[in-house]
Amino acid sequence: MHAQQTRRTTLLAALVLLALAASWGSTFFMIKDLLDRVPTLDFLAVRFTIASLVLVVVAPKALGRLSPVVRRHAVVLGLLYGLAQILQTAGLAHTPASISGFVTGLYVVCTPLLAAAILRTRIPPITWAAVALATVGLGVLALNGFSIGYGELITLASAVLYALHIVGLGAWSSAQDAVGMTILQIMVIAVVCTLATVHDGIVLPDRSGDWLSVAYMAVVVGAAGLLGQTWAQAHLAPTRSAIIMSMEPVFASFFAVWLGGEDLTTRLLLGGGMVLVAMLAVELAPRRVVEGEVPHIAV
């Protein structure tokens, strides 16, 4: 019975991360459009301030239940995620959305490398094969010529920070602390972004459509998304989580075709199919074959 319940929980966690990847993918063209009118840091400060206020209203006592150690972990994770958001969003202002999606998706490569180095975990061959397949799929999906410039470099730096965040969540998160950890992480992200932009004033959106976009990215993608990720990673190993979340650019392409009027191309189908196969490979293979990862560490 316990084994069956564990399988159900891990399946639910995988589905939560897949939903998170879909919500992330839905924001690429939305953010690209919004940054034409609202500066990067101002957008992030408003987005995560709204997200933190919503979560505090919904669960006002969750922060008080965190131990000092968990609070310290949440602050570190919030700093990593906040800096990653700043770099990724700034990079998106200097590089096409498709390239940004590919480079950001390279956290799927960075995660097992960092998990092996930091957590001393053994990454089995099938997982490395899935990582390689997902990376090639991301390239087929997104790239049409590629050059390294300022936008690509800072986006790559964000991918490394996202990978560190994934590894940290895998090591430190627990189901019972998920809400409190999420609130504190988002508060830290909001503070980081606000401090980075407050010196020259904060530009607010001046269109109702832009406010709707910010509200969606704050409440659904920001608050609910990070809450889902924090809970899910209490039940999944970091590399497995990263491979599931590498579906984000696939969803981004899907939404670009569905809502953005872009063409459904052979490259999109081939690249997206490769990422999907990589995800299914780690989901359908036996757990003992996929992950030799230490689930939690205390620091």
Side-chain angles (χ1 to χ4, degrees):
M1 180 65 73
H2 178 71
Q4 185 178 12
Q5 186 177 9
T6 300
R7 281 195 297 271
R8 287 177 179 172
T9 302
T10 55
L11 175 60
L12 179 59
L15 291 174
V16 167
L17 289 185
L18 193 59
L20 174 63
S23 69
W24 281 350
S26 71
T27 65
F28 265 90
F29 69 91
M30 203 180 295
I31 292 174
K32 188 74 172 175
D33 176 61
L34 187 63
L35 292 184
D36 290 337
R37 294 176 295 280
V38 181
T40 300
L41 291 175
D42 302 57
F43 155 67
L44 290 174
V46 173
R47 174 186 178 183
F48 286 105
T49 298
I50 293 172
S52 61
L53 290 174
V54 167
L55 282 173
V56 168
V57 168
V58 171
K61 297 180 181 179
L63 277 176
R65 289 194 289 264
L66 298 180
S67 70
V69 171
V70 174
R71 288 178 186 171
R72 186 170 69 244
H73 291 165
V75 168
V76 171
L77 293 170
L79 289 171
L80 289 172
Y81 198 93
L83 292 174
Q85 282 281 298
I86 290 172
L87 292 176
Q88 181 193 3
T89 308
L92 190 58
H94 297 278
T95 192
S98 59
I99 302 294
S100 175
F102 168 73
V103 178
T104 303
L106 291 179
Y107 63 73
V108 75
V109 179
C110 300
T111 299
L113 294 173
L114 292 170
I118 297 172
L119 304 182
R120 298 289 189 266
T121 60
R122 185 184 69 83
I123 310 298
I126 188 173
T127 305
W128 282 119
V131 166
L133 182 61
T135 304
V136 173
L138 291 174
V140 172
L141 184 68
L143 299 183
N144 184 14
F146 184 74
S147 60
I148 297 293
Y150 171 74
E152 288 77 19
L153 285 174
I154 61 175
T155 306
L156 181 60
S158 79
V160 175
L161 292 177
Y162 280 130
L164 281 170
H165 182 262
I166 291 169
V167 171
L169 267 184
W172 293 333
S173 63
S174 63
Q176 64 267 27
D177 290 330
V179 177
M181 282 192 77
T182 300
I183 294 174
L184 189 50
Q185 284 182 82
I186 290 182
M187 282 181 165
V188 170
I189 297 166
V191 169
V192 168
C193 296
T194 301
L195 288 177
T197 191
V198 73
H199 66 280
D200 59 356
I202 296 179
V203 176
L204 299 176
D206 59 5
R207 301 181 183 182
S208 57
D210 287 350
W211 274 113
L212 286 174
S213 294
V214 171
Y216 168 73
M217 287 183 278
V219 178
V220 177
V221 183
L226 192 54
L227 175 59
Q229 184 185 357
T230 301
W231 176 84
Q233 284 206 241
H235 304 285
L236 298 173
T239 301
R240 182 181 174 194
S241 300
I243 292 172
I244 296 170
M245 290 187 290
S246 70
M247 283 291 290
E248 174 191 356
V250 180
F251 283 113
S253 298
F254 168 77
F255 284 112
V257 170
W258 181 31
L259 301 176
E262 294 189 13
D263 294 330
L264 182 63
T265 64
T266 303
R267 284 181 55 191
L268 194 157
L269 291 171
L270 178 61
M274 293 171 78
V275 178
L276 181 60
V277 169
M279 185 191 71
L280 291 175
V282 297
E283 284 308 300
L284 298 179
R287 290 278 63 77
R288 65 181 183 278
V289 176
V290 171
E291 57 198 39
E293 305 202 9
V294 179
H296 288 80
I297 57 174
V299 176

